[in-house]
Amino acid sequence: MKPYFYIIEHIATGKRYAGYKAYKPDVEQLLNENHIRPYYTSSKVVKSIIKDEGVHAFRVIETKEFETGVLASEYEREFLHSIDAAADEMWLNKFNGGVWSNAGRTHSPETRAKMSASHKGKIISEEQRK
């Protein structure tokens, strides 16, 4: 099993999504609800459509395997940048790949409360403090 790049299509609208899978990859798991470990992408947009319409609302257009996850990631980034998928309404991608970060973004009060609660009672060692 090798990391892979994929393109899926929303059948009703023809809109597409491109991504890659590097962790525990298996091309057979993509949009396959009968697989022991099905994969439905990391896209919130795609997952929302699947929740509303079901996994059969999409079809796999293309897959391409790579030797490493880094190569699959680089291919995805180059592909998305070459077509500027984030700016094209026919693509469901909201980001053109690459390194994504939350830096500079403010968490909601609910998220900050959850983060605070999860850290309460944790003991930080002297080594961690340094």
Side-chain angles (χ1 to χ4, degrees):
M1 293 183 240
K2 296 181 178 183
Y4 60 93
F5 165 83
Y6 60 89
I7 298 174
I8 59 174
E9 181 179 61
H10 182 235
I11 298 166
T13 63
K15 292 185 178 188
R16 294 181 174 190
Y17 178 84
Y20 78 97
K21 176 98 165 85
Y23 180 71
K24 295 186 179 179
D26 178 0
V27 171
E28 296 300 318
Q29 72 192 139
L30 183 60
L31 300 180
N32 182 354
E33 59 192 349
N34 296 320
H35 193 277
I36 192 167
R37 191 175 41 240
Y39 180 65
Y40 303 117
T41 88
S42 61
S43 167
K44 291 179 183 178
V45 174
V46 172
K47 285 180 180 178
S48 175
I49 295 170
I50 289 173
K51 182 178 178 184
D52 292 343
E53 301 177 25
V55 71
H56 301 291
F58 286 90
R59 67 176 164 213
V60 177
I61 297 296
E62 177 184 337
T63 60
K64 180 178 174 116
E65 291 186 336
F66 292 87
E67 289 302 316
T68 68
V70 171
L71 291 174
S73 172
E74 288 174 355
Y75 185 86
E76 178 211 35
R77 187 186 77 253
E78 289 173 13
F79 175 83
L80 292 173
H81 278 277
S82 73
I83 62 169
D84 195 9
D88 187 334
E89 66 180 38
M90 288 309 294
W91 287 86
L92 297 169
N93 295 73
K94 300 300 179 197
F95 185 64
N96 281 336
V99 179
W100 188 81
S101 170
N102 269 336
R105 296 178 188 208
T106 304
H107 292 291
S108 70
E110 292 171 342
T111 300
R112 289 196 305 270
K114 287 178 183 178
M115 291 165 56
S116 175
S118 74
H119 288 92
K120 294 225 189 288
K122 287 188 178 177
I123 300 171
I124 300 172
S125 69
E126 283 299 318
E127 185 177 325
Q128 288 173 317
R129 291 176 194 209
K130 290 178 184 177

